[in-house]
Amino acid sequence: MSAGSLKKIVGGSVLLALSSGAALAQDGGWTSTISMYVWFNETNVTADTPRGEVDADLSFSDALDNLDFAFMGVGEARNGPWGIIGDLFHFKLSADADTPVGVLFSRAEVRTEVTALSGYAIYRVYEEPGVSFDAGAGFRAYWLDLDTTLVGALAPTQTFSQDNNWVDPLLAVRLRMDFNERTFGTLFLDAGGTGESDSWQALATVGYRVNDNWALQGGYRHLESSWETDFGEASFEFSGPIIGATYRF
């Protein structure tokens, strides 16, 4: 998938989410929100190759320098105790790493392009004034291109490419608490996998209601995933502060 095609798909998805949210909001039983956020994440990518394991780490500043494109957004629709959540993000970045065989290769280069779409159906199992607890199930679908290049020294340069698409089933829980009329906190956890892959994430935020429609949020998000490849196993971790704005229809 080309970057241009992906941008068109992402843009269409955002427009669809906005129009769907507005349509649901017109039905008296539904409320909808859409959020855009920035994730100041540090990144770790590990990939097995026939020449050994390559481990690449990027700080947030390094990731900005090597970031080609990124998109992050969340939408939610709720009717009574039931809710539907969608979360989409896309990263395309590259990083240098130490070579697993220093005599043969001078360094390693890792290029990663990952799109992850998470969807959940949740149910409000507990609610009191100022406190609610949701539980549910869902999935996280990955589209990932991973190229690991060992830059030649004594040996010629070699590139090992992996194009992986898969879906992890997930269980999820969410706790929300109001601290006062304006401020609130949210804790969201999910985890799952298929045996050949696994994924989990934790998200903790504190929010401020600007008015009936707008809220600002900030916190911390950590996401990990690992999967089997033709050469062994690969994994990535995204971890760092997150800030965003939410609009309620």
Side-chain angles (χ1 to χ4, degrees), residues 8-78:
K8 291 179 181 179
I9 292 173
V10 168
S13 300
V14 174
L15 292 175
L16 179 60
L18 287 169
S19 61
S20 298
L24 289 174
Q26 292 174 1
D27 183 340
W30 286 93
T31 59
S32 302
T33 62
I34 187 164
S35 305
M36 302 295 291
Y37 59 91
V38 178
W39 192 2
F40 302 94
N41 59 295
E42 295 186 352
T43 302
N44 172 264
V45 179
T46 302
D48 282 336
T49 75
R51 304 293 179 259
E53 183 181 86
V54 174
D55 190 352
D57 290 295
L58 287 87
S59 66
F60 174 67
S61 59
D62 291 336
L64 281 181
D65 291 339
N66 294 277
L67 187 65
D68 296 321
F69 180 70
F71 172 84
M72 291 160 276
V74 179
E76 178 174 356
R78 174 169 290 279

Side-chain angles (χ1 to χ4, degrees), residues 85-245:
I85 302 173
D87 181 2
L88 174 67
F89 74 81
H90 173 78
F91 289 106
K92 184 179 180 181
L93 50 84
S94 56
D96 291 335
D98 292 334
T99 174
V101 187
V103 176
L104 299 179
F105 305 99
S106 60
R107 70 182 192 279
E109 298 174 352
V110 179
R111 187 193 66 83
T112 307
E113 182 171 5
V114 56
T115 302
L117 173 63
S118 303
Y120 312 86
I122 58 174
Y123 183 80
R124 183 144 294 173
V125 297
Y126 176 82
E127 185 169 22
E128 292 290 341
V131 181
S132 64
F133 182 78
D134 300 322
F139 68 90
R140 184 150 43 245
Y142 288 104
W143 295 266
L144 180 115
D145 292 323
L146 178 62
D147 294 331
T148 305
T149 299
L150 304 180
V151 179
L154 296 179
T157 296
Q158 300 179 25
T159 297
F160 307 97
S161 299
Q162 291 288 320
D163 183 3
N164 298 80
N165 305 322
W166 75 94
V167 178
D168 285 328
L170 303 170
L171 296 177
V173 294
R174 181 175 65 183
L175 174 66
R176 281 185 169 173
M177 297 182 63
D178 287 338
F179 304 129
N180 53 49
E181 291 184 358
R182 290 288 188 180
T183 60
F184 59 95
T186 303
L187 176 64
F188 184 91
L189 303 169
D190 72 36
T194 64
E196 296 182 351
S197 62
D198 62 76
S199 181
W200 72 274
Q201 75 164 328
L203 171 65
T205 62
V206 175
Y208 178 80
R209 297 183 183 93
V210 179
N211 52 42
D212 291 341
N213 297 109
W214 285 98
L216 304 177
Q217 297 185 66
Y220 195 89
R221 183 180 186 181
H222 180 89
L223 172 66
E224 287 188 28
S225 184
S226 64
W227 62 97
E228 294 183 2
T229 73
D230 294 340
F231 309 122
E233 186 175 85
S235 66
F236 62 70
E237 298 180 16
F238 298 124
S239 185
I242 187 171
I243 58 173

